[in-house]
Amino acid sequence: MLRSQRESAEAEKDHMERVIGIDLGTTNSCVAILEQQTPTVVPNRGGYKTTPSIVAVTEAGKRLVGHIAKRQAITNAENTVYAAKRLIGRKWDSPQVKNALMTTSYNIVEGPHDDVRIELRNKTYSIPEISSMILQEMKMVAEEYLSEPVTKAVITVPAYFNDNQRQATKDAGAIAGLDVIRIINEPTAAALAYGFGKNVDATVAVFDLGGGTFDISILEIGGQGVFKVIATTGDTFLGGEDFDARIIDWLVDGFRAEHGIDLREDRMALQRLRDAAEKAKCELSAVHEAEINLPFIISAASNEALHLQASLTRAKLEELTEDLIERCIEISKQALEDAQLGIEEIEDVILVGGMTRMPAIQRAVQDFFRRAPNRSVHPDEVVAMGAAIQGAALIEDKREMLLLDVTPHALGIMTFGSHFEELIPMNTTVPTSMSKTFTTSRDNQTAVKIIVMQGDSKNAEDNELLGEFILTGLRRAAKGQVEIEVTFEINTDGIVSVDARDLETGQAQSIQVTASSGLTPDEVRRMASDASEFMLERKADDAYESAKQRAETLIASIDGMMAEVERSVGGADFGRDAVEKGRRALDAARAAVQSRDAEAILEQVQRLERTERMFRGVVGGT
Ligand code: AMP
């Protein structure tokens, strides 16, 4: 059969290296690829399209990721990390970390660069390392599906992530052995998947409420495949976990009133409460009342086991979380103001994130936007699909698709009196750059310190410190005589860089904005090498396990036939010989399994297969 030109082009594309799209979520992660121009979510080994963003280390030192980690979270609460995304790129003394210190069941400790680390069984991990374990898992899911190695990825982040959080996410990718060719914003990715191949021409809002973050973006989608973000805003500490926390508070308060015991003091009880709260919340999206039953939740002083039993109605849940929903709407209002658009100008509202299944949220969105939200996209999968679409467009250099995103925060510097001088305003289309000329303020001044910040407050201290640098080696001259042009740039990943140039001599200074928190390049390299070593060990373990399983199945089958083979042909020489050969094959295979050497086992598997065929011939023939 002749292939059309288009089919040949498709086949060629299929041979090009694939880029995977990863939605690295607070609660769940998802990986997708573009297959024959269709974004496809890749299921994990268990057949699920999303994988819990949970990492654990067992007592035996084994690392677990995803569903398997989630399943053991209650009994291993101290060594099970969930919602690490809430901590990525955060500073030790930030309010978000203080909040996490009070509410998490695992140990958060201070890192060497004013950053945050997590302690699991006496080993300390950086947050990008924890996230890299999830990324490695997603990479492996895609590799198993495609039966080829994958190295390139587009990873999504909440639109509201600042530079530190984006850098840390990129570090996580590097540690996982991924070349992160682009970081894109989650709502933008969702809009890409929504408009892909549909010739949409509309102004839309993407309302994204996930496990940990809330984002809203307003986009113009043009018929020519142009996706232009007009405004984006959000809150990186507003998400499903806050809804769960309200239910937990309610349960803890009720229990305290009844028994005088604070369940928060018991890590295992707290983990069980967290699970039960989330489960009840999800149930209440479908039914009006959910039962919460936690037998033997804790022991009283008299050693009597106490149970927790409660019934939560949908109305009560809505009352407990009313202010959280209101906050989402307030932020949506702000986004419209930033976009300078009226509500009537929004032609469609796309819901993203598991939390948008909650009826009260759908109602609030519908009331605010005065239209029923769009139901054509899958809230858990659409972000990864958008990332895969962008990934494919980047390597295929597709010019018919253009993504114009914006920076969610203003970029500026701290000036005298802790004032924030804005250089690049929020909602500026990226990539973008801006130059500013600095002059010396003293005679013979040879250095100038510049403090780079990101945020939306006039008061520098309220904003996020990205880093500081000192311009050194300036020419000695009278004050005001040396002019240095400093260029601040935000690239398409939303990541900031700075360059400086002496305007008179033209001499350029390359400046590294040293992130005040986060990892050094050396640390990233070391962690990446640890991670790749771990992956090699894991692959060897997987190979051993699958060879062992195959060998054990064959051993059991041959063992089961042995008596009958002996009975039917053991009287003849050739029969005794066959039985003897079979026994030797079994012994050798058992020894190989003991040796834990996958290759040696596979060699024996071939011998076992021959023996099994021979035995089946005998048994089948009697
Ligand atoms: P995501 O980060 O998009 O995976 O969203 C996860 C959040 O959505 C978690 O807080 C879940 O508890 C929540 N979620 C998932 N399904 C439902 C549901 N049916 N009703 C309410 N919340 C849900």
Side-chain angles (χ1 to χ4, degrees), residues 130-186:
I130 298 284
S131 299
S132 80
M133 296 175 193
I134 300 161
L135 291 174
Q136 264 186 327
E137 189 73 18
M138 304 320 288
K139 175 175 184 272
M140 203 188 65
V141 165
E143 285 176 341
E144 283 183 359
Y145 178 83
L146 292 168
S147 307
E148 64 186 40
V150 169
T151 56
K152 289 188 163 51
V154 170
I155 302 179
T156 59
V157 295
Y160 215 53
F161 258 21
N162 63 36
D163 181 70
N164 288 336
Q165 292 166 303
R166 286 168 199 265
Q167 291 270 12
T169 305
K170 263 204 133 166
D171 287 349
I175 296 170
L178 284 169
D179 170 14
V180 182
I181 61 169
R182 186 67 55 88
I183 295 269
I184 62 171
N185 293 331
E186 288 160 12

Side-chain angles (χ1 to χ4, degrees), residues 335-394:
L336 278 178
E337 258 172 50
D338 293 346
Q340 298 180 343
L341 287 177
I343 280 180
E344 63 293 342
E345 287 170 276
I346 302 297
E347 293 162 89
D348 211 351
V349 184
I350 306 161
L351 295 183
V352 184
M355 273 309 300
T356 58
R357 293 206 185 87
M358 184 173 173
I361 290 177
Q362 296 180 353
R363 237 175 18 243
V365 169
Q366 179 154 355
D367 288 350
F368 176 68
F369 286 99
R370 294 186 223 137
R371 64 171 58 246
N374 182 292
R375 295 185 178 277
S376 69
V377 299
H378 194 298
D380 300 330
E381 298 169 11
V382 64
V383 170
M385 285 159 85
I389 293 169
Q390 174 68 358
L394 283 171

Side-chain angles (χ1 to χ4, degrees), residues 23 25-29 50 208-212 239-241 244 278 281-286 352-359 379-380:
D23 170 8
T26 309
T27 323
N28 295 299
S29 294
T50 61
D208 179 359
L209 187 61
E241 302 223 338
D244 303 347
E278 190 193 1
K281 175 191 72 178
C282 294
E283 272 173 37
L284 288 173
S285 293
V352 184
M355 273 309 300
T356 58
R357 293 206 185 87
M358 184 173 173
D380 300 330

Side-chain angles (χ1 to χ4, degrees), residues 282-549:
C282 294
E283 272 173 37
L284 288 173
S285 293
V287 297
H288 283 269
E289 190 158 0
E291 292 300 323
I292 299 169
N293 262 317
L294 295 169
F296 310 109
I297 183 91
I298 207 159
S299 299
S302 55
N303 261 345
E304 170 204 7
L306 297 175
H307 315 300
L308 184 147
Q309 200 164 23
S311 170
L312 179 63
T313 61
R314 186 188 283 179
K316 183 71 193 170
L317 171 66
E318 291 177 0
E319 182 195 316
L320 291 172
T321 57
E322 198 180 348
D323 61 309
L324 298 175
I325 301 175
E326 251 166 39
R327 185 147 165 66
C328 294
I329 298 301
E330 279 309 311
I331 297 174
S332 305
K333 231 181 251 171
Q334 183 63 49
L336 278 178
E337 258 172 50
D338 293 346
Q340 298 180 343
L341 287 177
I343 280 180
E344 63 293 342
E345 287 170 276
I346 302 297
E347 293 162 89
D348 211 351
V349 184
I350 306 161
L351 295 183
V352 184
M355 273 309 300
T356 58
R357 293 206 185 87
M358 184 173 173
I361 290 177
Q362 296 180 353
R363 237 175 18 243
V365 169
Q366 179 154 355
D367 288 350
F368 176 68
F369 286 99
R370 294 186 223 137
R371 64 171 58 246
N374 182 292
R375 295 185 178 277
S376 69
V377 299
H378 194 298
D380 300 330
E381 298 169 11
V382 64
V383 170
M385 285 159 85
I389 293 169
Q390 174 68 358
L394 283 171
I395 50 163
E396 287 165 25
D397 194 17
K398 277 206 156 179
R399 285 175 213 281
E400 66 264 36
M401 203 184 83
L402 185 62
L403 187 58
L404 298 167
D405 216 322
V406 295
T407 172
H409 306 283
L411 179 75
I413 51 171
M414 179 150 106
T415 57
F416 193 67
S418 202
H419 182 74
F420 178 65
E421 186 181 332
E422 195 176 284
L423 300 176
I424 298 175
M426 68 185 241
N427 287 330
T428 303
T429 302
V430 291
T432 183
S433 70
M434 196 272 168
S435 296
K436 185 171 169 59
T437 305
F438 292 87
T439 48
T440 45
S441 59
R442 286 188 318 262
D443 289 343
N444 293 326
Q445 184 177 348
T446 54
V448 182
K449 182 172 177 179
I450 293 168
I451 300 172
V452 186
M453 309 194 93
Q454 203 169 31
D456 312 306
S457 167
K458 290 276 158 254
N459 181 10
E461 255 132 49
D462 296 339
N463 294 331
E464 181 86 7
L465 172 71
L466 294 190
E468 46 187 53
F469 58 88
I470 299 176
L471 277 175
T472 52
L474 305 184
R475 278 178 296 125
R476 285 178 187 277
K479 77 173 179 191
Q481 291 302 301
V482 181
E483 288 188 321
I484 304 120
E485 186 186 64
V486 182
T487 305
F488 299 80
E489 191 190 328
I490 305 180
N491 71 9
T492 36
D493 291 333
I495 288 177
V496 177
S497 64
V498 182
D499 266 311
R501 208 157 52 91
D502 183 327
L503 278 182
E504 195 184 295
T505 62
Q507 192 190 342
Q509 284 206 29
S510 147
I511 309 155
Q512 181 100 42
V513 181
T514 44
S516 51
S517 65
L519 304 173
T520 62
D522 272 352
E523 279 175 310
V524 173
R525 268 193 293 278
R526 184 179 49 72
M527 289 170 186
S529 125
D530 285 356
S532 97
E533 220 165 89
F534 169 83
M535 224 42 205
L536 286 177
E537 275 169 34
R538 175 164 172 184
K539 282 194 178 140
D541 266 3
D542 280 359
Y544 164 70
E545 281 299 330
S546 89
K548 178 176 160 231
Q549 253 181 27

